Amino acid sequence: MRKITGFEPKEQIPAKVLQLYQGVMELILQGVDVRTLKVSDITQKAGIGKGTAYDYFDTREEIIVSAILHVMVCIQEEVGAELARRTGFFDRMEYLLEVLEEKMEERECFLHFIHLLTDTSICGLKLQERIKEEGQENYTLVTMLTDMIRQGMESGELRTDLPVGYLCYAVSSQIVCFMASVSFPDIGQITAEELKPLILSQMRESYGRKA
């Protein structure tokens, strides 16, 4: 059996594996720390036997990483298709913030994905290793943003005197800030609803090409 990576098309994934993925995401949405998840927690939530999980995966880290990558692939396909239908950088950015505000699964998956990309836990290292193994270093939110920024520069919406890489990091940091305001509303002193127009306005002021 070919090793399951999380990058497979949904129609090629065994039903039991999809149940495991769903179990991982349900636990994440319940606020469970992925670093403390046990295989038995996942299989119980998925409604399958523990032994079944080991028919497809060798370790709990492989289950968790594959689940997060699968959801990221699905999100990027769905979001990417809608972004392609929209016109202009700021229209696309507003849509992206709306998705992260309104869809909890997408937001939580993004947050866990971003965290694990820089984490040194076993799960974090496994995620980073898996992305390199599959040659998918560019299959991330950063790639989506880079494409949006390049298109914005070409259309005359965005400044061209700033490096694409800088704009990508700057915009990414504001998106993470926005996701945090939605996920942890009690920490800051501003709501996501109040923050969203401020972020879009600041982006226009700082990165938009002046007429």
Side-chain angles (χ1 to χ4, degrees), residues 62-189:
E62 287 187 1
I63 301 173
I64 294 167
V65 165
S66 295
I68 290 176
L69 285 172
H70 169 72
V71 177
M72 282 297 297
V73 169
C74 292
I75 290 171
Q76 289 199 218
E77 288 178 352
E78 178 184 349
V79 171
E82 179 59 30
L83 288 175
R85 288 191 285 269
R86 300 209 169 219
T87 304
F89 174 83
F90 295 106
D91 182 38
R92 290 168 179 151
M93 182 55 60
E94 185 172 6
Y95 163 72
L96 188 56
L97 294 181
E98 287 173 358
V99 169
L100 296 174
E101 180 179 14
E102 297 170 4
K103 298 187 177 182
M104 184 176 179
E105 180 168 311
E106 281 82 344
R107 183 173 65 253
E108 292 304 312
C109 187
F110 268 130
L111 284 171
H112 278 76
F113 181 75
I114 292 169
H115 173 70
L116 290 175
L117 278 179
T118 57
D119 192 27
T120 57
S121 66
I122 298 176
C123 275
L125 294 175
K126 173 59 70 174
L127 176 69
Q128 297 158 40
E129 176 187 305
R130 176 69 54 78
I131 290 173
K132 290 180 180 178
E133 284 178 349
E134 297 300 311
Q136 298 285 354
E137 289 89 346
N138 293 325
Y139 205 84
T140 66
L141 175 62
V142 174
T143 303
M144 188 183 295
L145 289 177
T146 300
D147 291 341
M148 287 170 55
I149 289 167
R150 287 202 173 106
Q151 292 169 12
M153 287 179 166
E154 292 170 0
S155 68
E157 277 191 285
L158 298 179
R159 294 168 57 178
T160 56
D161 60 318
L162 295 173
V164 173
Y166 166 75
L167 285 177
C168 193
Y169 279 120
V171 172
S172 297
S173 66
Q174 289 174 304
I175 291 175
V176 172
C177 175
F178 179 74
M179 287 193 290
S181 75
V182 178
S183 297
F184 311 106
D186 297 331
I187 294 179
Q189 298 185 16

Side-chain angles (χ1 to χ4, degrees), residues 89-90 152 156-162 167 200-211:
F89 174 83
F90 295 106
E157 277 191 285
L158 298 179
R159 294 168 57 178
T160 56
D161 60 318
L162 295 173
L167 285 177
L200 292 170
S201 176
Q202 197 275 329
M203 285 184 184
R204 289 182 184 274
E205 180 64 28
S206 299
Y207 317 134
R209 182 178 290 182
K210 303 299 187 290

